[in-house]
Amino acid sequence: MAARVIVIGAGVVGAATAWSLAREGASVVLLEAFERGHDRGSSHGGSRIFRHGYTEQDYVELSVRALRGWTHLEQVSGRRLLDPTGALDHGDLAALTAIAEAQDAAELPYEWLTAGEAVSRWPGLRFEQHVLFSPGGGRLRAADAIEALLDAAAAAGADLRFDTRVTDIAETGDGVTVTASDGVHSADAVVVAAGSWTPELLRPFLNAQGVELPTVRVTEEQPAHFPLLPGPADGEAAWPSFVHHPTEEGVTGAYGLLTPGEGVKVGFHGVGPQVNPDDRDRTIDPDRLASLQRYVADWVPGVDSTRPEGISCLYDSTPQEEFVLDRVGPVVIATGFSGHGFKFGPALGDVLARLALHGEPAAERFRLPVASPDA
C-alpha cells in the first residue's frame, strides 16, 4: 500500500513537497489554512529572485537542483516560470569573491565588471566598485509558480484542501494524527511546511519529544514596487535581479528585481519588526518606507523613488538564516527560510519528500542540532 503523507501548508515549499510526494506514488493530502493563492504568508506576489549567488556550497548545489526542478515544472505545466534576466551582486569584494569561488566549484559561469561597465549595461542601477554578473540567475514568476506546483501535485494525485486549519499534531503507534478544521487525519508521516505558523504549530509535539527548534523569528518585512522612469532603463532587458552588499558606512544591504506590470521591487533584507502571523494589520510604516525611498533615490536611479507601492510579507528566520529540514519521528520539519527560500522550491520539495518517505536526511547544514548527552 502506498505511504500516506499529509503536507501542511500550500506555499511554495508545501506545494513543491506535495508534487514530489505524489510523483513518488505516495497518497498525499495537502491542508492549507487559507484560500488558494492567499497573500497572508511568504509566497504571494508576482516575482522572486532566482540566483546561484551563495558563498556556501550546500546552497549553490541546492540552487542548481532547483533550476532543474523549475525547468521540469515548466515542461509539465506548459507555463513560463523563470525569466533568465541574469543576477548581479555588487559591493563588498570579499563577499563577491566567495560567491565566485562557490560558483567555480559548481562550474557555473559569471563575469566580473567595474561599476562603470555595469552602469553602461544596466543604467537603471548605481553600483559600488566591484560587480559580479551571473547569467544563470533571473526572475521567478512567483504566483504562476505556486499555481503550477499545485496543479502538478493535483494532476499527480494529491488531494488539495484549502480553508483547512491544522490545530494539533500527535504521534501514534504507527504514524501520526493531524487534527484540522475538517476533522482528524491519520498518516504515516506529516510534513509541516506552514511558513511563519510552523514553529507554534510544532511546539507542543517537539516539547513532548524533548526536541528544540533553533529560534525562529517571525518578522513583517516591507519592500516596495517603484515605477520605471522613461529613459534607457525603461524596459525588461535593463533589469537583472540584484543584491547589494554595501561597504559604504550607513548603507543597508538591499535586493531588487523587476516585476513586470508593477515596477521594480526593492527591499531591505530581514530588518522588520517581530510579529504574530495571525495578528498583524499589514499597515505600511511610513518611516521604514521613507528609509527605503532614500536608498532607492541613491542606488536605483531608473525608477521614481517618490511613488512607492509598499508590500507586506513575512519572514521566518533562524539566527544564521539557515533552513531547518529534518525529521522527528513521523514529523518532517520545514522552517527557517529566512526570506531566501522561494527560489529553491522544487529542490526543497524533493528533500522533504525523501525525508518523509525514506528517512533520507538533508545536508548536515539543514539538520536540527543534536542535543548534548548532559543536557
Side-chain angles (χ1 to χ4, degrees):
M1 181 177 179
R4 178 176 170 84
V5 183
I6 296 168
V7 178
I8 303 173
V12 66
V13 177
T17 302
W19 182 41
S20 292
L21 286 164
R23 293 202 324 269
E24 289 279 323
S27 172
V28 183
V29 178
L30 183 149
L31 305 176
E32 164 58 51
F34 303 109
E35 71 275 10
R36 182 167 177 155
H38 71 87
D39 64 356
R40 296 170 182 80
S42 303
S43 290
H44 63 282
S47 64
R48 290 294 189 281
I49 289 175
F50 182 83
R51 59 196 292 263
H52 300 297
Y54 285 81
T55 60
E56 303 91 348
Q57 208 61 41
D58 306 275
Y59 282 109
V60 176
E61 291 170 1
L62 201 65
S63 74
V64 172
R65 186 173 173 183
L67 178 59
R68 292 196 296 267
W70 289 122
T71 301
H72 179 48
L73 183 60
E74 286 186 323
Q75 295 167 348
V76 168
S77 67
R79 305 185 198 190
R80 183 175 177 181
L81 304 175
L82 179 60
D83 297 315
T85 63
L88 292 167
D89 291 270
H90 72 103
D92 180 58
L93 180 59
L96 270 58
T97 300
I99 290 171
E101 290 173 348
Q103 294 196 67
D104 279 334
E107 299 183 339
L108 294 169
Y110 59 84
E111 181 181 359
W112 286 103
L113 300 165
T114 66
E117 289 169 336
V119 166
S120 69
R121 288 169 64 172
W122 302 290
L125 295 165
R126 184 166 77 87
F127 301 93
E128 290 199 45
Q129 180 179 358
H130 303 286
V131 182
L132 187 70
F133 176 61
S134 302
R139 174 184 62 233
L140 283 162
R141 303 183 181 194
D144 291 342
I146 296 291
E147 287 301 303
L149 285 166
L150 291 172
D151 285 348
D159 178 3
L160 311 183
R161 303 188 185 187
F162 299 95
D163 296 304
T164 306
R165 182 177 281 264
V166 172
T167 57
D168 185 64
I169 299 168
E171 186 172 12
T172 62
D174 56 355
V176 62
T177 60
V178 172
T179 304
S181 56
D182 67 341
V184 178
H185 302 262
S186 298
D188 300 301
V190 59
V191 179
V192 185
S196 294
W197 288 264
T198 294
E200 284 302 313
L201 181 58
L202 279 174
R203 184 164 286 116
F205 170 80
L206 293 178
N207 285 346
Q209 306 296 316
V211 175
E212 278 193 48
L213 278 177
T215 300
V216 179
R217 291 183 73 248
V218 175
T219 60
E220 184 176 36
E221 305 300 326
Q222 187 178 287
H225 281 111
F226 296 86
L228 297 176
L229 289 171
D234 186 7
E236 287 197 34
W239 294 98
S241 62
F242 57 92
V243 177
H244 184 184
H245 310 261
T247 60
E248 293 189 14
E249 186 174 351
V251 177
T252 303
Y255 66 90
L257 72 165
L258 177 70
T259 304
E262 297 185 71
V264 175
K265 181 166 73 172
V266 184
F268 298 135
H269 176 69
V271 298
Q274 196 159 349
V275 295
N276 180 326
D278 281 318
D279 185 23
R280 79 189 216 269
D281 62 15
R282 297 195 282 183
T283 299
I284 300 302
D285 182 329
D287 293 334
R288 293 168 61 200
L289 186 58
S291 177
L292 183 61
Q293 286 179 267
R294 289 191 292 271
Y295 173 89
V296 168
D298 284 343
W299 292 95
V300 194
V303 303
D304 186 348
S305 65
T306 69
R307 296 168 55 204
E309 290 289 336
I311 307 163
S312 171
C313 65
L314 293 175
Y315 275 23
D316 53 315
S317 301
T318 58
Q320 303 302 318
E321 299 190 353
E322 302 281 24
F323 304 163
V324 179
L325 311 171
D326 211 339
R327 178 169 177 158
V328 177
V331 176
V332 176
I333 301 162
T335 191
F337 295 107
S338 307
H340 66 114
F342 195 105
K343 68 179 71 65
F344 299 106
L348 293 172
D350 286 346
V351 170
L352 295 166
R354 289 173 183 276
L355 270 165
L357 295 177
H358 313 298
E360 182 179 317
E364 186 172 354
R365 174 185 299 279
F366 306 125
R367 299 176 204 167
L368 289 166
V370 178
S372 166
D374 299 324

